[in-house]
Amino acid sequence: DAKTTQPPSMDCAEGRAANLPCNHSTISGNEYVYWYRQIHSQGPQYIIHGLKNNETNEMASLIITEDRKSSTLILPHATLRDTAVYYCIVRYNDYKLSFGAGTTVTVRA
Amino acid sequence: SQTIHQWPATLVQPVGSPLSLECTVEGTSNPNLYWYRQAAGRGLQLLFYSVGIGQISSEVPQNLSASRPQDRQFILSSKKLLLSDSGFYLCAWSVQIGGTYEQYFGPGTRLTVT
């Protein structure tokens, strides 16, 4: 599996966009980028995934660089309920996911 | 819509006692099922996964075992709990969608071994 690097923590102001970076410089051509988040004391929640094109859904947008060595998850209007640990995972089309330490995002009023 | 249930939500067990955690999924057929453990302040560790009834794969050696007696039922067991078995246990399911797999997690069971 390609290894991912995320900042350990970041703060964001409520109502502003939160941009979460992830480096995956060893990603191979058939590996997808997945994002999950885990709110305290709950199970992880799927957010979005992509291969090379940018993706958007009702929760977030995923921007993948052209060389695919990094990506950014964008929460367009962060709310207090978005406070969570965000995991960036790179995986081939396989049903097993490996969760690292993630980024602890704190949204402040 | 699909839902996943886990019980109990919390459990306190003495060392050496047995364990049985149950997970059931509704609204889908032949899902892949998973058991994860999360120690306090740590990431998730995949313990077991199953691609079908009676098919269990173990990711790490331990004193836990898993069984899948029915298509949408996944059970995590232990004959004798250790202190190190304490943690947050999560069940998840996934199906292939458009060439990729998305995993959906249950609410978890917080186990404290005393």
Side-chain angles (χ1 to χ4, degrees):
Chain A
D1 299 337
K3 186 175 179 179
T4 62
T5 303
Q6 297 178 254
S9 64
M10 63 182 295
D11 286 358
C12 176
E14 188 178 20
R16 305 294 292 270
N19 299 308
L20 284 62
C22 180
N23 287 324
H24 30 79
S25 58
T26 60
I27 192 171
S28 62
N30 54 6
E31 288 183 308
Y32 288 79
V33 180
Y34 293 84
W35 283 85
Y36 284 75
R37 73 179 183 184
Q38 187 175 21
I39 295 171
H40 183 62
S41 295
Q42 297 182 22
Q45 177 189 22
Y46 166 81
I47 300 174
I48 200 168
H49 74 274
L51 183 62
K52 51 185 177 182
N53 295 326
N54 297 337
E55 303 287 344
T56 296
N57 62 22
E58 65 280 2
M59 289 183 68
S61 295
L62 174 60
I63 308 298
I64 302 175
T65 58
E66 192 168 344
D67 63 7
R68 304 209 325 122
K69 293 186 177 181
S70 65
S71 60
T72 301
L73 179 75
I74 302 173
L75 308 177
H77 303 287
T79 71
L80 297 178
R81 289 175 295 180
D82 292 323
T83 293
V85 179
Y86 287 77
Y87 299 98
C88 170
I89 302 165
V90 174
R91 192 77 194 191
Y92 177 53
N93 182 19
D94 186 349
Y95 37 76
K96 293 189 288 182
L97 298 177
S98 298
F99 289 81
T103 296
T104 298
V105 173
T106 303
V107 180
R108 302 192 186 277
Chain B
S1 64
Q2 301 87 0
T3 55
I4 179 169
H5 304 279
Q6 280 188 251
W7 63 90
T10 59
L11 190 62
V12 180
Q13 292 283 97
V15 169
S17 64
L19 173 74
S20 180
L21 302 181
E22 189 164 345
C23 170
T24 59
V25 181
E26 297 177 356
T28 187
S29 297
N30 195 31
N32 293 336
L33 296 173
Y34 311 81
W35 278 112
Y36 290 84
R37 176 172 61 200
Q38 186 173 35
R42 306 290 296 275
L44 279 74
Q45 178 186 36
L46 178 62
L47 302 176
F48 300 95
Y49 68 93
S50 170
V51 299
I53 295 175
Q55 301 178 60
I56 309 294
S57 296
S58 175
E59 287 293 292
V60 293
Q62 59 213 315
N63 72 321
L64 299 170
S65 62
S67 61
R68 184 171 178 173
Q70 300 180 43
D71 180 45
R72 290 168 288 177
Q73 184 185 30
F74 207 21
I75 297 172
L76 183 69
S77 304
S78 173
K79 293 182 179 178
K80 289 185 178 182
L81 283 169
L82 306 173
L83 285 174
S84 58
D85 291 325
S86 292
F88 190 40
Y89 287 82
L90 290 154
C91 180
W93 68 274
S94 73
V95 291
Q96 190 171 12
I97 300 174
T100 62
Y101 289 85
E102 297 170 17
Q103 286 195 16
Y104 297 91
F105 288 78
T109 294
R110 193 161 300 281
L111 171 67
T112 303
V113 182
T114 59

